[in-house]
Amino acid sequence: MRNAARHLLLALVLGGACAAASAQSAGVPPDELEKRGAASVFILGRHAGLAVLRDECEFLLPAGEFERGARGWLERNREDIEAALTWIAATLEQLKRTDVAGHAKVSESFTASMTRSVSGVTRQWFGRQAPTAASCDAVLRQFVLPQLDFRSMGANQGYEQFAEFGETMQRYRREAGYKPVATAKAGYEDLHFGLVASLDAAQAAREAGDIEGARVIYVSLAQRGEGTSAQTLGILYLNPQYAGRDDLQAYRWFYAAWSLADYEGLNAMGVMLRDGRAAAANPRLAWGAFLLAATMARNDAARSRAQANATRLEPQMAAADRQALACTSLAELDLALRKPVEALPFVRGRSMAQPQLRLGQMLRPLANGTAPCS
């Protein structure tokens, strides 16, 4: 590599993948393979950033402004994006054929590193501040200006180091036998990284001790359907250092998280129902919440927390409790969880896919040893 930027990009995303995949391009010098890997990473990182800009900014800008700017950029840079996607796909395909373990490792590394890359670029764009119409407009201009397209970016003062990326993709496309893979589409519709800029701004406020500023951002995010923010608000209201503890507000935000499909909220409500906080203790409902949270958890840590809570409470459950829970539908569980607060939900939750499904059909501990529901 000739410059630090290319070294960093390649190390972040592909690690040692280029060396492992060099066999896919017989006759291509190792330095050229590295250049193609670095160019692909840079291009796909900017492409991913466009998806973040959509999620953060589309509602802040005049109707249609983001879509016009994004579509124009995609059309002008389509060939480079498709070439980058093709190169990454070829690299991974080669590893899949020759090194299955290496393929899995590089795939995971690529996903994780792209997420880090997106977080880095959004921090650069917004400076750990919540996006505004003005800051969104300033970032969108980077995509609207043809001078900052991949082919012409290096001609601008201060961007000279990026000239090689566009040139590398042009060489790759001119190579005999080059053909974009069928899945290489220069769109962003299926890319989703979450509201990473706003979440980072809220975290920055918390780090600075501005809990009220963080709360305002989290509320806005939850109202836009971001379940993790609702869960975080619940935790804030359990913290005595935040304007005094408010169990009722905490429970309501945990319910909001559950309604937005963040199942950590379900586990948190279970803890409060078990301990009689914000409402009268209800061990049966708490156990059902723990079991469902463990089943629906999206990571091992959340699953372990919910499972440990369920295991500790299980000895208190009688046969009648198991039977009642087994015959409880998701819709009925949702109503029971909402009832303790006796208030309108903070946010509009997502629709359940199968509200009539009974817990006994979903949860193994309730399926064993219970009678059929009438």
Side-chain angles (χ1 to χ4, degrees):
M1 297 271 182
R2 297 179 185 172
N3 58 59
R6 194 162 73 237
H7 269 302
L8 176 61
L9 288 165
L10 191 58
L12 273 176
V13 179
L14 295 180
C18 284
S22 61
Q24 72 173 356
S25 300
V28 179
D31 184 58
E32 178 66 12
L33 291 176
E34 289 191 348
K35 289 177 181 179
R36 291 181 185 181
S40 297
V41 170
F42 177 78
I43 289 168
L44 295 184
R46 193 162 175 81
H47 184 226
L50 191 64
V52 173
L53 194 61
R54 170 204 59 204
D55 293 340
E56 291 280 7
C57 294
E58 191 169 22
F59 83 107
L60 290 170
L61 297 169
E65 184 172 336
F66 170 81
E67 183 68 15
R68 286 190 295 273
R71 288 298 167 191
W73 184 82
L74 289 169
E75 284 302 318
R76 296 193 308 273
N77 293 276
R78 179 175 301 280
E79 290 182 335
D80 290 318
I81 296 168
E82 291 178 348
L85 290 167
T86 297
W87 176 255
I88 295 296
T91 299
L92 293 176
E93 180 60 29
Q94 175 66 19
L95 283 171
K96 188 176 181 180
R97 291 195 302 266
T98 60
D99 183 0
V100 175
H103 172 269
K105 183 178 180 179
V106 170
S107 296
E108 292 175 3
S109 175
F110 180 78
T111 301
S113 298
M114 284 299 291
T115 300
R116 290 196 298 271
S117 176
V118 165
S119 297
V121 75
T122 53
R123 183 170 290 191
Q124 179 185 5
W125 284 344
F126 299 109
R128 306 198 77 187
Q129 299 293 314
T132 64
S135 61
C136 286
D137 181 69
V139 176
L140 182 60
R141 283 201 297 272
Q142 297 182 25
F143 290 90
V144 171
L145 293 173
Q147 299 95 305
L148 295 181
D149 291 349
F150 297 123
R151 297 181 187 182
S152 52
M153 183 180 294
N156 295 279
Q157 186 175 0
Y159 289 82
E160 294 87 355
Q161 70 205 59
F162 302 116
E164 193 173 275
F165 295 136
E167 295 167 0
T168 297
M169 285 295 98
Q170 289 180 47
R171 288 195 303 273
Y172 178 42
R173 293 198 308 274
R174 290 196 299 266
E175 191 174 76
Y178 167 77
K179 182 180 180 180
V181 295
T183 55
K185 297 179 180 179
Y188 54 84
E189 293 82 0
D190 296 329
L191 291 176
H192 297 283
F193 293 89
L195 300 169
V196 294
S198 295
L199 286 169
D200 190 44
Q203 182 60 33
R206 292 179 68 179
E207 291 169 3
D210 183 9
I211 301 299
E212 178 58 23
R215 188 193 70 83
V216 170
I217 298 173
Y218 284 132
V219 169
S220 174
L221 289 171
Q223 291 171 341
R224 293 171 61 187
E226 214 287 314
T228 303
S229 295
Q231 173 71 11
T232 302
L233 283 162
I235 294 171
L236 287 177
Y237 277 106
L238 288 180
N239 188 341
Q241 295 179 342
Y242 173 61
R245 197 176 80 185
D246 190 328
D247 286 351
L248 181 59
Q249 291 288 83
Y251 187 96
R252 292 182 69 188
W253 279 116
F254 289 140
Y255 176 82
W258 143 253
S259 73
L260 294 172
D262 186 312
Y263 299 102
E264 284 280 82
L266 191 60
N267 181 63
M269 282 189 290
V271 171
M272 299 189 78
L273 289 165
R274 179 197 65 195
D275 298 342
R277 297 170 62 175
N282 189 332
R284 177 199 292 175
L285 185 57
W287 193 52
F290 291 146
L291 291 175
L292 186 57
T295 298
M296 304 299 288
R298 292 194 173 94
N299 59 69
D300 291 340
R303 183 175 298 105
S304 295
R305 282 192 293 272
Q307 187 59 58
N309 286 330
T311 299
R312 285 194 292 268
L313 198 55
E314 184 173 9
Q316 300 181 33
M317 295 299 106
D321 295 314
R322 294 173 179 270
Q323 185 66 46
L325 280 174
C327 294
T328 298
S329 69
L330 282 174
E332 291 167 339
L333 176 72
D334 179 70
L335 183 62
L337 290 169
R338 188 192 308 176
K339 189 174 181 180
V341 298
E342 295 291 347
L344 292 175
F346 280 132
V347 300
R348 182 177 180 178
R350 300 173 187 173
S351 299
M352 291 185 182
Q354 294 179 290
Q356 77 286 353
L357 200 63
R358 298 181 190 274
L359 297 185
Q361 297 172 282
M362 303 174 60
L363 309 176
R364 184 174 298 176
L366 297 179
N368 299 326
T370 54
C373 301
S374 57

